[in-house]
């Protein structure tokens, strides 16, 4: 009887160990990887400009920020190239705008420094170097974009707009009438995850023979799996943008979501209007439930990727991110929720 109890205990112990191992595959040692992120603050440099010497100051800022400054001017605040004769006037209008100045004050009040973000991004890029040792670490910049892009990327940089992370209750967001499901993701703790999402999308862009729903699901599933590896210290709600309740709903309804997509023959549909219903930002995924998160199909995509990686332990994260044959992934995953 005692031996039987001992055997049962050992069996249970082995199950617990196996379960723990399968859920801690990203618990790797990065302590010996040296990464020290410094965040350059474009917004502070811009608002330190003397308005009667804009042209001289811009020359120095252009040297310091390079291609990032060009992208910021052309794609974020859309005032055009610094080589345009009218550029100093456009920049002065931006810097003297009443709302932009109030926004700058709010940003400096909430972000007198970005030490927390620098530490978290340093930690994230340690994991990144662990999995992608040949890759370079980008420069990191902050900016105020007048509520435009949250994150922009180039070959060698990531920029993030701190005015997009002022908290869900920020009065500016209420004035803009931003919906609650969007504002809920505009808080400080999302900066690192959003930066790493943007970097992943830049380094590993979507490429597939068909732009159908299942390929999009698996691509975005790869991005979420990448975040699992690079940000093992972040809660899943931060990486996905889903609330804890929405995550619980996904877990409870995984089989139903997959069954719906299969039975309705939606997996291989390439129609943009149809696919966006499942992978775009929204208060919920209408085809599933009002209790579901928006873009819930991406969560299913990550489940398939997880199954694929579990069934193929020899495949590295680097190999996964380079894989473009999504039909092979789907077949090898043998996904049956």
């Amino acid at each position: 009887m005692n031996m039987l109890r001992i055997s049962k205990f050992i069996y249970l112990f082995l199950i617990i160990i196996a379960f723990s191992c399968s859920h801690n595959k990203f618990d790797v040692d990065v302590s010996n990887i040296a990464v020290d992120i410094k965040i350059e603050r474009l917004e502070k440099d811009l608002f330190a400009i003397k308005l009667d010497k804009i042209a001289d100051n811009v020359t120095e800022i252009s040297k310091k920020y390079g291609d990032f400054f060009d992208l910021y001017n052309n794609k974020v605040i859309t005032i055009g190239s610094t080589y345009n004769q009218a550029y100093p006037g456009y920049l002065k209008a931006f810097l003297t705008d009443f709302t932009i100045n109030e926004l700058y004050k709010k940003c400096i009040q909430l972000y007198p420094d970005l030490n927390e973000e620098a530490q978290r991004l340093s930690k994230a890029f340690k994991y990144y170097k662990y999995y992608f040792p040949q890759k370079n670490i980008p420069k990191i910049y902050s900016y105020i974009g007048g509520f435009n892009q949250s994150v922009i990327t180039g070959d060698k940089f990531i920029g993030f707009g701190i005015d997009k992370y002022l908290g869900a209750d920020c009065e500016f967001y209420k004035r803009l009438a931003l919906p609650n499901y969007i504002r809920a993701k505009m808080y400080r703790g999302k900066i690192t995850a959003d930066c790493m999402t943007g970097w992943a999308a830049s380094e590993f862009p979507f490429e597939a023979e068909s732009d159908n729903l299942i390929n999009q699901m698996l691509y975005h599933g790869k991005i979420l799996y990448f975040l699992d590896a690079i940000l093992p210290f972040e809660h899943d709600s931060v990486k996905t943008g889903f609330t804890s309740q929405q995550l619980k709903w996904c877990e409870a309804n995984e089989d139903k979501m997959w069954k719906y997509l299969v039975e309705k023959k939606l997996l291989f549909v390439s129609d943009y209007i149809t696919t966006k219903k499942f992978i775009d930002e929204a208060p919920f995924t209408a085809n599933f439930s009002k209790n579901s998160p928006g873009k819930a199909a991406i969560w299913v995509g990550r489940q398939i990727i997880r199954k694929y990686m579990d069934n193929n332990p020899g495949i590295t994260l680097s190999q996964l991110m380079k894989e473009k044959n999504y039909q092979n992934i789907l077949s090898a995953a043998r996904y049956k929720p």
Side-chain angles (χ1 to χ4, degrees), residues 119-266:
Q119 290 174 4
R120 296 178 78 83
L121 284 165
S122 294
K123 191 173 182 179
F125 274 106
K126 283 187 177 185
Y127 285 97
Y128 180 74
K129 286 294 287 185
Y130 176 89
Y131 291 106
F132 305 93
Q134 304 305 317
K135 294 280 190 179
N136 293 320
I137 304 299
K139 293 183 178 179
I140 311 292
Y141 305 111
S142 66
Y143 60 84
I144 288 176
F147 310 111
N148 290 315
Q149 291 92 331
S150 298
V151 175
I152 59 175
T153 60
D155 291 339
K156 299 179 180 179
F157 65 79
I158 301 172
F160 63 91
I162 55 174
D163 52 332
K164 296 294 291 290
Y165 300 97
L166 302 179
D169 294 328
C170 176
E171 187 60 35
F172 287 107
Y173 302 158
K174 294 178 182 178
R175 292 182 207 168
L176 292 169
L178 295 178
N180 290 336
Y181 75 93
I182 294 293
R183 285 163 43 196
K185 302 170 187 178
M186 300 173 72
Y187 62 95
R188 185 168 196 159
K190 279 284 287 173
I191 291 176
T192 300
D194 285 358
C195 283
M196 299 313 296
T197 300
W199 188 244
S202 174
E203 289 289 283
F204 310 103
F206 176 74
E207 295 176 299
E209 290 185 1
S210 174
D211 193 15
N212 58 35
L213 178 57
I214 187 60
N215 287 356
Q216 287 280 357
M217 287 169 58
L218 293 175
Y219 170 72
H220 290 289
K222 287 200 308 183
I223 299 296
L224 282 179
Y225 190 87
F226 170 91
L227 294 184
D228 285 339
I230 304 303
L231 303 173
F233 51 90
E234 294 284 16
H235 190 274
D236 209 25
S237 61
V238 178
K239 292 178 286 187
T240 61
F242 300 171
T243 66
S244 296
Q245 291 76 16
Q246 289 172 335
L247 286 169
K248 290 179 181 177
W249 185 92
C250 287
E251 291 166 1
N253 293 275
E254 180 179 356
D255 57 335
K256 294 179 182 178
M257 287 190 285
W258 182 246
K259 184 178 180 181
Y260 178 88
L261 294 172
V262 171
E263 291 185 348
K264 297 294 183 180
K265 299 180 180 179
L266 293 169

Side-chain angles (χ1 to χ4, degrees), residues 94-140:
F94 176 77
L95 295 176
T96 56
D97 180 86
F98 176 79
T99 300
I100 294 297
N101 272 269
E102 291 299 304
L103 181 59
Y104 176 69
K105 292 176 185 177
K106 181 68 173 179
C107 288
I108 295 302
Q109 176 190 348
L110 291 180
Y111 295 98
D113 63 65
L114 292 171
N115 295 337
E116 177 184 333
E117 285 65 40
Q119 290 174 4
R120 296 178 78 83
L121 284 165
S122 294
K123 191 173 182 179
F125 274 106
K126 283 187 177 185
Y127 285 97
Y128 180 74
K129 286 294 287 185
Y130 176 89
Y131 291 106
F132 305 93
Q134 304 305 317
K135 294 280 190 179
N136 293 320
I137 304 299
K139 293 183 178 179
I140 311 292

Side-chain angles (χ1 to χ4, degrees), residues 11-25:
Y11 178 69
L12 179 61
F13 177 76
L14 291 173
I15 290 176
I16 293 172
I17 291 296
F19 181 83
S20 299
C21 291
S22 67
H23 284 71
N24 286 294
K25 62 172 64 181

Side-chain angles (χ1 to χ4, degrees), residues 213-215 217-219 221-222 225 254 258 261-262 267 297-312 320 326-337:
L213 178 57
I214 187 60
N215 287 356
M217 287 169 58
L218 293 175
Y219 170 72
K222 287 200 308 183
Y225 190 87
E254 180 179 356
W258 182 246
L261 294 172
V262 171
L267 293 178
I298 292 175
W299 185 90
V300 177
R302 184 179 61 176
Q303 296 299 97
I304 300 173
I305 295 297
R306 284 177 170 176
K307 192 68 175 176
Y308 170 73
M309 295 299 281
D310 286 344
N311 289 342
N312 300 274
L320 169 68
Y326 293 102
Q327 294 310 301
N328 281 351
I329 291 178
L330 182 62
S331 297
R334 302 192 298 276
Y335 179 67
K336 294 180 181 180

